[in-house]
Amino acid sequence: MGELTEYERLISIRIMQEDAESIYSLLKTERDSIFAMEIIPYYALFVQSCQEYMGENLLPESIAKDLKDIRNHIKTYADGFGKSQRRVSTVDDAQDRDFKEQLRFEFLKKINVHLNLGTYWTEERQVIGNTQQLADFLSVESMFDSKIKEKNHQMGYHIGSFVASFRDGLADSLSYPVIERKRQLISINYYCDINTNKKNNLLSKGQKKEINLFYLHLLCSMNFVKYILRPLFQDGNIWTFRVEYIVSYYTLRALERLKNYTENNKDITIETKEIHDILKQGELLFTTKLRNCMMHYNLENAGVISFENIDKPFYGIIENCFDGKSYQEYLIELHGLSDMIIDFLNNQFDFSDVKLERL
């Protein structure tokens, strides 16, 4: 039993090292400003999870608090839907005031000419991010605060320093992992700005604004992983697998909370059959054993490592959690669930008339 525990400890460290190497490869190559903002929650997840495993905080207190808050944003909409609806509305109102205040003339503020939501798109017309979601998880009180740039610079500096120090610290005893990339220098080039209080081509006309924005935030998170992050790495990369798993899981929980809310309240009406099908599929993939070791790095006594599967991809964790199913088989099923969720969310909108502009 002692020998297995030692293997569990070593594999925990090796997985952290592999994730650090994947993140380090992005820090070296990716310079797109939208990508840099969108990826921060997943960098924060890594940094905080490593610190929890080590049992110590290696960052300045203010940076550590910010990163913890940003990491927690990943599961924000998995709270009760009433709370999520209020959060979406609060951010929308704050952005509305923020941009309205930039208008020079008082009469312009009364006629609603400002734009309070910016969305970011791929060339293939997939929406992968938006300014209200960014303002929320980065805790931006005002987009026009002169201190934001310096704050974000400091955060980026400390994340980069942590990742570099972590990988170098392990290099004396463990060789650097080989991380295979498919693409580099990704560029997010298209945007669409709207006023959420007026008729527009982005939000569905038959649904409440808060539901539209709730769906949009979920879709942006899912699409960012599928269309931006995953294509940067060879399929099967463990860190992108972890990110896709966590984002899909919390998106599924958010949809579950919405379904439960609509079944007990009359103010929102949605079709829940597709959500039911998504939840049913998710039950097969998100077992407690696997979920615990995807959210945290400590594998000791987690019951997910065995000697007979230790040489398989992802150290045989999938085989041990799913009665022999391979990592590649599981990955295909997770991609399939992600696609189900994305299809459902896309169907809540009609993006055909959205006019994109080049950044």
Side-chain angles (χ1 to χ4, degrees):
M1 193 57 150
E3 187 181 1
L4 180 60
T5 300
E6 180 62 14
Y7 269 100
E8 290 169 338
R9 186 184 72 82
L10 290 172
I11 289 170
S12 298
I13 294 169
R14 185 61 173 178
I15 289 174
M16 285 190 285
Q17 187 190 30
E18 290 171 347
D19 287 358
E21 197 67 22
S22 293
I23 293 170
Y24 184 74
S25 75
L26 293 179
L27 291 171
K28 285 196 303 182
T29 63
E30 303 312 304
R31 296 292 177 264
D32 184 87
S33 59
I34 308 303
F35 177 87
M37 290 188 289
E38 294 281 349
I39 199 70
I40 285 177
Y42 313 118
Y43 289 168
L45 175 67
F46 168 76
V47 172
Q48 289 303 109
S49 297
C50 283
Q51 293 194 135
E52 286 171 3
Y53 179 84
M54 293 184 290
E56 58 181 318
N57 186 11
L58 303 176
L59 298 173
E61 189 173 334
S62 61
I63 297 292
K65 182 184 181 306
D66 286 343
L67 286 177
K68 189 173 183 179
D69 290 343
I70 290 169
R71 179 196 64 173
N72 289 340
H73 176 85
I74 294 171
K75 54 186 179 182
T76 292
Y77 301 121
D79 289 331
F81 178 73
K83 184 176 179 180
S84 294
Q85 185 176 204
R86 289 190 296 275
R87 182 172 187 135
V88 167
S89 181
T90 298
V91 175
D92 180 62
D93 288 344
Q95 292 293 289
D96 195 47
R97 290 192 301 272
D98 206 15
F99 282 92
K100 190 182 289 184
E101 286 303 311
Q102 300 308 305
L103 298 173
R104 288 184 61 189
F105 302 108
E106 198 64 33
F107 78 93
L108 290 176
K109 298 177 184 180
K110 299 176 182 178
I111 59 176
N112 231 8
V113 296
H114 61 289
L115 305 172
N116 67 333
L117 174 69
T119 54
Y120 304 111
W121 301 69
T122 67
E123 192 169 357
E124 295 75 28
R125 297 180 65 82
Q126 304 292 345
V127 60
I128 54 83
N130 71 79
T131 54
Q132 291 194 9
Q133 187 181 36
L134 287 170
D136 190 10
F137 71 64
L138 294 176
S139 299
V140 174
E141 293 182 10
S142 171
M143 299 288 282
F144 304 98
D145 185 346
S146 59
K147 297 177 183 176
I148 289 177
K149 188 174 181 180
E150 177 58 25
K151 180 182 176 182
N152 290 341
H153 175 78
Q154 285 297 316
M155 190 178 300
Y157 170 79
H158 285 289
I159 289 172
S161 297
F162 181 93
V163 172
S165 298
F166 186 86
R167 69 186 288 275
D168 290 343
L170 291 177
D172 290 338
S173 52
L174 292 170
S175 61
Y176 289 120
V178 176
I179 301 299
E180 297 182 22
R181 295 281 300 273
K182 285 198 297 188
R183 293 178 61 187
Q184 292 186 6
L185 296 172
I186 201 157
S187 184
I188 300 165
N189 295 323
Y190 295 91
Y191 76 97
C192 172
D193 293 342
I194 65 164
N195 183 319
T196 61
N197 304 305
K198 295 172 65 176
K199 182 179 177 181
N200 60 74
N201 291 326
L202 183 66
L203 304 182
S204 172
K205 300 169 183 63
Q207 192 55 272
K208 283 178 65 175
K209 178 174 68 171
E210 289 78 11
I211 305 298
N212 268 307
L213 292 172
F214 174 76
Y215 282 142
L216 181 66
H217 298 336
L218 297 181
L219 179 59
C220 286
S221 295
M222 292 295 299
N223 275 350
F224 178 79
V225 173
K226 179 177 180 178
Y227 294 108
I228 301 297
L229 184 59
R230 266 173 41 193
L232 287 167
F233 292 90
Q234 201 69 32
D235 203 32
N237 176 273
I238 289 176
W239 180 63
T240 58
F241 165 53
R242 181 186 301 277
V243 171
E244 181 177 6
Y245 180 100
I246 291 171
V247 172
S248 298
Y249 173 75
Y250 282 117
T251 303
L252 182 138
R253 291 280 79 87
L255 293 175
E256 180 182 41
R257 299 292 188 265
L258 172 62
K259 175 177 172 290
N260 293 344
Y261 181 92
T262 59
E263 289 172 351
N264 295 291
N265 296 273
K266 304 294 185 185
D267 59 317
I268 297 171
T269 303
I270 63 165
E271 177 52 58
T272 60
K273 183 186 181 306
E274 283 185 86
I275 297 179
H276 174 79
D277 293 341
I278 290 168
L279 295 174
K280 191 174 179 182
Q281 186 69 18
E283 286 173 10
L284 303 175
L285 297 181
F286 296 123
T287 66
T288 304
K289 260 189 183 181
L290 180 62
R291 191 165 72 246
N292 287 343
C293 73
M294 295 299 281
M295 305 298 184
H296 310 283
Y297 282 118
N298 188 0
L299 302 183
E300 292 177 41
N301 302 312
V304 297
I305 300 295
S306 67
F307 288 122
E308 67 262 32
N309 291 321
I310 210 165
D311 292 327
K312 293 177 179 174
F314 197 38
Y315 305 95
I317 291 172
I318 298 301
E319 283 80 359
N320 294 327
C321 288
F322 292 94
D323 198 24
K325 182 183 293 182
S326 74
Y327 178 62
Q328 286 300 327
E329 288 171 333
Y330 184 89
L331 206 57
I332 290 169
E333 291 181 9
L334 180 63
H335 291 346
L337 176 63
S338 297
D339 289 343
M340 278 182 73
I341 296 171
I342 288 170
D343 288 345
F344 168 77
L345 293 169
N346 266 322
N347 289 338
Q348 309 311 308
F349 302 95
D350 178 5
F351 293 143
S352 58
D353 291 329
V354 173
K355 291 180 174 56
L356 302 183
E357 298 185 58
R358 196 170 181 89
L359 284 166

